[in-house]
């Protein structure tokens, strides 16, 4: 009685097999490179699912982009040459079992609600900070879908109309500042201004080569300039979260995605700044901002759960 969950990323697809009754326990797991283009993707997904379980009960797929209610991927800013791919239909035709295709951050939210940091919450905001930013919004216990299935893309809220260009085609989107990509950009700006010597040293002395991991490593070693860059990342994260909380009023905010490994470095400052940025921060119940519990497998686990639930 295993369901397969597949989480499509910009560079790799992570597949897991889970028993939906015990979603926190992954029974099998495998990663393969993400192919270019929609046709190759269907082959890759079916092959990966088959290698995890030749006879799964259901297959769920999480994709970083706009997925409509019929499971068609309209576009993903970080997926090359994949537009208007009717993924759910293509998979169902060939898999012979129920298939579900949904936005990857929605899958994260479902997993964290089932067996992670949002268990029991009927109003929750799950935000994934990775290459970009995704979100799954749970309201009245259910995912908020919107008219087309496109709800929950706060990464493309514009926070600076004159800001840097975004792969979505606009400028100054929240994910240009508050994601792993954003941290790298903030770091290179600081390095170019001569303020980040310890992280530049970790990058081999090349200010242009500084990435987020160099900054987090230097901050962990106690470098105050690197921590200052992370505090500036925390400001941008808190700004977006405050805007979202003003609209959605969640009981809890769960932070997942690739940056969660550095949550200990930025979450305390995110909480400080959030309290000052949200409307009436000192007059409303505290909104806990916590790290996701299911790690990098959350998206794949959630996709499996969605498929098993039909
Ligand atoms: Zn954008």
């Amino acid at each position: 009685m295993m369901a397969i969950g597949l989480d499509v990323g910009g560079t790799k697809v992570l597949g897991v097999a889970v028993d939906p009754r015990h979603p926190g326990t992954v029974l099998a797991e495998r990663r393969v490179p993400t192919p270019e283009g929609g046709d190759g993707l269907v082959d890759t997904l079916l092959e990966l699912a088959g290698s995890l379980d030749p006879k799964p009960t259901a297959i769920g797929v999480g994709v970083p982009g706009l997925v409509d209610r019929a499971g068609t991927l309209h576009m993903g800013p970080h997926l090359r040459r994949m537009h208007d791919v009717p993924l759910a239909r293509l998979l169902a035709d060939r898999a012979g079992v129920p298939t579900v295709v949904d936005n990857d951050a929605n899958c994260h939210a479902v997993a964290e609600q089932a067996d992670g940091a949002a268990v029991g919450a009927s109003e929750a905001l799950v935000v994934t900070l990775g290459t970009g930013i995704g979100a799954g919004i749970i309201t009245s216990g259910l995912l908020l879908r919107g008219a087309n299935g496109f709800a929950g893309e706060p990464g493309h809220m514009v926070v600076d109309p004159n800001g840097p260009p975004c792969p979505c085609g606009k400028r100054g989107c929240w994910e240009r500042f508050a994601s792993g990509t954003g941290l790298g950009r903030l770091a290179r700006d600081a390095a170019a201004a001569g303020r980040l010597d310890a992280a530049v040293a970790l990058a081999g002395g090349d200010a242009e080569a500084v990435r987020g991991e160099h900054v987090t490593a230097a901050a962990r070693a106690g470098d105050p300039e690197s921590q200052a860059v992370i505090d500036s990342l925390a400001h941008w994260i808190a700004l977006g979260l405050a805007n979202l909380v003003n609209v959605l009023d969640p009981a809890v905010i769960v932070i997942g995605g690739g940056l969660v490994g550095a949550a200990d470095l930025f979450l305390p400052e995110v909480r400080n700044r959030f309290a000052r940025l949200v409307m009436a921060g000192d007059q409303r119940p505290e909104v806990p901002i916590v790290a996701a519990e299911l790690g990098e497998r959350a998206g794949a686990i959630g996709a499996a759960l969605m498929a098993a639930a039909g």
Side-chain angles (χ1 to χ4, degrees), residues 126-228:
V126 177
V127 176
T128 59
L129 307 178
T131 307
I133 297 181
I137 298 161
I138 292 166
T139 179
S140 302
L142 299 172
L143 272 176
L144 179 70
R145 295 290 188 178
N148 300 293
F150 298 165
E153 288 288 350
H156 302 281
M157 299 187 296
V158 174
V159 295
D160 178 359
N162 301 313
C166 180
C168 77
K170 313 290 185 217
R171 272 188 175 275
C173 296
W174 186 35
E175 70 167 46
R176 292 300 90 200
F177 300 89
S179 63
T181 312
L183 175 59
R185 205 179 48 77
L186 293 168
R188 284 186 292 279
D189 285 352
R195 293 199 309 271
L196 206 57
D197 291 350
V200 171
L202 291 178
D206 180 0
E208 295 276 300
V210 175
R211 294 195 306 275
E213 67 217 52
H214 303 126
V215 182
T216 53
R220 260 185 224 300
D223 174 43
E225 290 178 328
S226 294
Q227 186 60 48

Side-chain angles (χ1 to χ4, degrees), residues 12-109:
K12 68 171 190 324
V13 185
L14 168 62
V16 301
V18 295
D19 177 341
R21 291 166 300 185
H22 307 286
T25 308
V26 169
L27 302 168
E29 171 177 353
R30 216 182 128 216
R31 289 166 181 74
V32 296
T34 304
E36 270 193 35
D39 296 342
L41 181 61
V42 173
D43 289 338
T44 299
L45 294 175
L46 288 169
E47 215 173 276
L48 178 55
S51 74
L52 289 162
D53 183 352
K55 290 197 171 154
T57 53
I59 300 174
V61 181
V63 190
L66 294 180
V67 180
D68 71 16
R69 286 164 177 253
T72 293
L73 169 65
H74 284 251
M75 68 85 77
H78 306 285
L79 293 173
R80 304 215 299 168
R81 291 177 42 216
M82 289 189 209
H83 292 279
D84 298 321
V85 183
L87 259 189
R89 184 174 58 72
L90 292 171
L91 283 168
D93 285 352
R94 288 170 56 188
V97 296
T99 59
V100 166
V101 178
D102 211 314
N103 171 270
D104 61 345
N106 282 351
C107 297
H108 269 80

Side-chain angles (χ1 to χ4, degrees), residues 104-124:
D104 61 345
N106 282 351
C107 297
H108 269 80
V110 165
E112 291 290 333
Q113 187 192 29
D115 200 16
V119 167
S122 61
E123 304 292 330

